Amino acid sequence: MAETKILVVAIDFGSSGAGYAFSFAYQYKNNPLDISTSVWNNGNGPLQTKVPTVLLFDPNKKFHSFGFEAEDKYEELLNANKADQWYFLKGFKMQLYSAVNAGEDIRVDFELLDVGGKSISAKAVFSAAIGFLKDHFIQQMHWRKLGTVEDDIFWVVSVPAIWNDSAKQFMRESAEKVGIKGEKFIIVYEPEAASIYASLLPVDKLVGKNGAVILKAFDPGRKFIVVDAGGGTVDISAQQVLENGELKIIHKECGGPWGGECINKQYVNMLKELFGKEVMNKFKRNNGEDFLQLLRDFEVKKKMFRVVDEESLTIRMPLSLIELFLDIEESDVQTAIASSRFNETVRLKRDKLSIAGSLVETFFSETIRTIIDEVVSLLKHERCSDVSVIMMAGGFSEDDTLQHAIKKQFPSLEVFIPTDGALAVLKGAVIYGHNPNVVSSRVCYYTYGIAISKAFDPSIHDPEKKVLRDGREMCNNLFEVLFEIDEEVHG
């Protein structure tokens, strides 16, 4: 993999957002950070570098659309009461993680559930997602007349570090299904990609507490932790910079399903408690466009929420929701709020729902506590005792509430977020594609015995020489060669 790649394209589709980035060999040679990213137009607002990770399949389970187009079509189907036979997928990446954790055999395929609870092939969904981003790039390549052909492309797909080998193999097979050849394809762990990108940034792009520049974050010998917080998962990786600038993973990656979607779920749970499950379910079913917009508005507002300011968070409530509540409950929303446990923390004025900062904090508290506990546990390990820096990356890391909590919990450590923190994984994946050797070694999950001399035979061997304590020690006549294997990231 050390040979020059003419063109490297990295694909990153998280639980909430997806996109791609690319660079040519000459760009990487002159400036590794000279990387172009995908640009998407949702028809309403500024251009975006990522598109929602949602897919739509028709009643025959044939792929129809991805991203903004899928959202728009699904809203149209909901408003026309025709959505029941279609398959709308969002958050499906987390279903793969859940299936693996539940011990489900995913080696061939398994079933995903769409938002309505209908089942569809997981391999079809994942391959459609990769295939859409692949085809979109190739179309742009031809439109821009970049002067390359598809065989010139080397593909990189980023995955959570907490995925096991089965999940990575599933991703590889999904890519091969849409024409990405194995020899032209590699997988990279998301937190490693983020640190690869950040390590090459100019020092003025590494800003920590109170605007202070982190001058020595990537000096040789320095140890640091990457907290890659996305929409679905949080990956935590302990790394060290070697003398040659390469990165060494010094502890097994850890993390869990503690991404930004957890906060969104808490918000929706509050709405269900306030308006009632019957109202919210009917609202979601009959006013799908308004429901999706309600979630989009919260997604934007939660990133701007500052816990230190103790400000309330204001969301526009759709008139359709307020009217539906009145029809079903035969009462106005203000009266329901006054008689609920939210009477001191929620106010509705016309169509604006104001949520007190103290209540918004509770949306974050459990998720943030879990993340912090995981970092604390990692720092207790002897290999990580001299870690001095925490780097945050991923979309969830942009939330001020998470940043504030991490900085408050670890006052003795430098905490920083690189420029374009939400794109750090994507851009780092491109750099990794050009030079996979930038990560020199990892901590393997298992050790492997490859040979024995003789098995214990009670008829000829002294029983006192047999030791089976905890399965880690074998009899004296048993010769076991153990070695650490640097896990091949590409499966």
Side-chain angles (χ1 to χ4, degrees):
M1 292 186 188
E3 78 278 3
T4 300
K5 289 97 174 179
I6 297 174
L7 173 61
V8 172
V9 181
I11 290 175
D12 173 33
F13 67 89
S15 297
S16 55
Y20 58 79
F22 63 95
S23 74
F24 287 89
Y26 73 87
Q27 292 175 299
Y28 173 76
K29 182 178 180 181
N30 294 331
N31 177 13
L33 295 175
D34 185 6
I35 299 169
S36 301
T37 59
S38 54
V39 178
W40 310 90
N41 185 355
N42 67 352
N44 181 25
L47 297 175
Q48 300 183 33
T49 54
K50 286 194 174 182
V51 65
T53 310
V54 296
L55 293 91
L56 185 65
F57 288 76
D58 69 17
N60 296 318
K61 297 186 177 181
K62 181 180 178 182
F63 174 69
H64 179 274
S65 50
F66 185 95
F68 294 120
E69 184 182 351
E71 285 188 338
D72 292 344
K73 177 63 178 178
Y74 186 64
E75 290 172 7
E76 177 186 318
L77 291 166
L78 284 169
N79 293 331
N81 293 319
K82 296 180 179 179
D84 289 347
Q85 301 304 313
W86 290 64
Y87 298 81
F88 186 64
L89 283 298
K90 65 179 300 184
F92 59 89
K93 191 175 177 182
M94 287 303 299
Q95 291 191 52
L96 173 58
Y97 174 79
S98 299
V100 170
N101 276 5
E104 192 171 340
D105 188 355
I106 64 168
R107 286 175 294 180
V108 179
D109 200 357
F110 68 103
E111 294 293 306
L112 293 177
L113 298 179
D114 84 331
V115 295
K118 300 184 295 295
S119 62
I120 187 171
S121 160
K123 189 69 67 68
V125 172
F126 277 82
S127 60
I130 296 174
F132 172 84
L133 294 168
K134 167 182 174 279
D135 292 344
H136 190 277
F137 170 75
I138 291 173
Q139 290 171 5
Q140 292 294 308
M141 181 180 71
H142 292 323
W143 181 74
R144 295 185 186 187
K145 301 186 184 302
L146 296 180
T148 54
V149 295
E150 189 171 341
D151 282 346
D152 293 334
I153 303 173
F154 188 83
W155 299 92
V156 184
V157 174
S158 61
V159 301
I162 55 176
W163 275 16
N164 66 7
D165 290 342
S166 296
K168 289 183 293 181
Q169 183 63 23
F170 185 89
M171 186 68 80
R172 169 175 289 279
E173 291 172 358
S174 297
E176 291 176 346
K177 188 175 179 180
V178 291
I180 296 179
K181 300 175 183 177
E183 66 273 14
K184 293 281 190 177
F185 173 76
I186 195 172
I187 283 175
V188 63
Y189 285 141
E190 290 168 359
E192 294 177 11
S195 58
I196 290 168
Y197 167 72
S199 68
L200 296 175
L201 287 172
V203 292
D204 62 341
K205 302 295 185 181
L206 303 177
V207 180
K209 299 174 184 176
N210 303 316
V213 175
I214 312 298
L215 293 174
K216 299 181 180 180
F218 294 99
D219 279 0
R222 198 74 178 264
K223 292 181 180 180
F224 60 95
I225 285 177
V226 179
V227 178
D228 176 28
T233 61
V234 172
D235 281 341
I236 303 171
S237 173
Q239 306 178 24
Q240 182 177 20
V241 183
L242 301 180
E243 290 297 326
N244 60 3
E246 293 177 354
L247 299 175
K248 176 182 179 181
I249 311 304
I250 59 175
H251 190 279
K252 183 177 69 174
E253 282 95 350
C254 54
W258 317 315
E261 284 298 317
C262 294
I263 286 74
N264 297 350
K265 289 178 181 178
Q266 292 295 326
Y267 168 63
V268 172
N269 288 340
M270 184 215 72
L271 293 178
K272 287 181 178 179
E273 185 175 347
L274 185 61
F275 290 95
K277 290 183 179 180
E278 180 186 357
V279 172
M280 288 303 299
N281 289 337
K282 191 170 183 180
F283 171 65
K284 180 180 178 181
R285 185 170 60 251
N286 297 342
N287 303 92
E289 184 175 359
D290 288 344
F291 179 76
L292 290 175
Q293 189 59 49
L294 189 63
L295 297 183
R296 290 181 191 134
D297 289 346
F298 178 74
E299 182 67 30
V300 173
K301 292 292 183 69
K302 78 173 184 182
K303 289 184 178 180
M304 297 186 294
F305 175 73
R306 292 178 56 82
V307 64
V308 293
D309 295 339
E310 297 183 352
E311 294 181 348
S312 60
L313 188 150
T314 302
I315 302 287
R316 190 190 73 80
M317 289 290 106
L319 183 60
S320 57
L321 175 57
I322 296 173
E323 291 178 343
L324 182 62
F325 179 84
L326 183 61
D327 289 342
I328 293 178
E329 300 296 334
E330 298 181 350
S331 172
D332 58 46
V333 179
Q334 288 87 344
T335 301
I337 292 173
S339 61
S340 74
R341 70 180 182 93
F342 303 116
N343 64 320
E344 297 291 335
T345 53
V346 175
R347 293 284 183 273
L348 179 68
K349 187 174 182 180
R350 296 187 180 90
D351 64 343
K352 299 295 192 301
L353 190 74
S354 178
I355 309 171
S358 58
L359 180 57
V360 177
E361 280 188 65
T362 66
F363 298 165
F364 289 83
S365 57
E366 182 179 350
T367 298
I368 288 178
R369 172 46 53 193
T370 304
I371 295 170
I372 287 175
D373 287 347
E374 193 79 353
V375 176
V376 169
S377 176
L378 187 61
L379 288 171
K380 289 179 179 178
H381 195 279
E382 59 181 359
R383 295 178 188 168
C384 305
S385 60
D386 52 348
V387 163
S388 56
V389 175
I390 294 178
M391 184 188 103
M392 299 178 66
F396 187 23
S397 69
E398 295 180 340
D399 285 30
D400 183 79
T401 308
L402 177 59
Q403 295 177 25
H404 176 78
I406 295 291
K407 292 174 182 177
K408 182 179 179 180
Q409 180 67 35
F410 305 103
S412 64
L413 303 182
E414 290 288 353
V415 179
F416 77 93
I417 303 168
T419 300
D420 287 339
L423 293 175
V425 170
L426 193 51
K427 292 185 175 183
V430 174
I431 299 168
Y432 181 84
H434 284 290
N435 179 25
N437 295 324
V438 68
V439 178
S440 67
S441 65
R442 298 178 178 84
V443 175
C444 68
Y445 283 75
Y446 308 100
T447 56
Y448 299 83
I450 59 169
I452 62 172
S453 56
K454 291 181 180 180
F456 178 80
D457 185 345
S459 65
I460 60 175
H461 296 136
D462 184 354
E464 293 183 0
K465 299 293 181 69
K466 178 184 178 184
V467 182
L468 292 173
R469 189 161 53 247
D470 295 330
R472 289 189 295 268
E473 297 178 34
M474 305 299 286
C475 63
N476 287 353
N477 286 338
L478 181 64
F479 173 70
E480 183 178 31
V481 179
L482 297 175
F483 62 96
E484 287 196 351
I485 300 175
D486 287 335
E487 182 182 6
E488 293 289 340
V489 172
H490 51 82

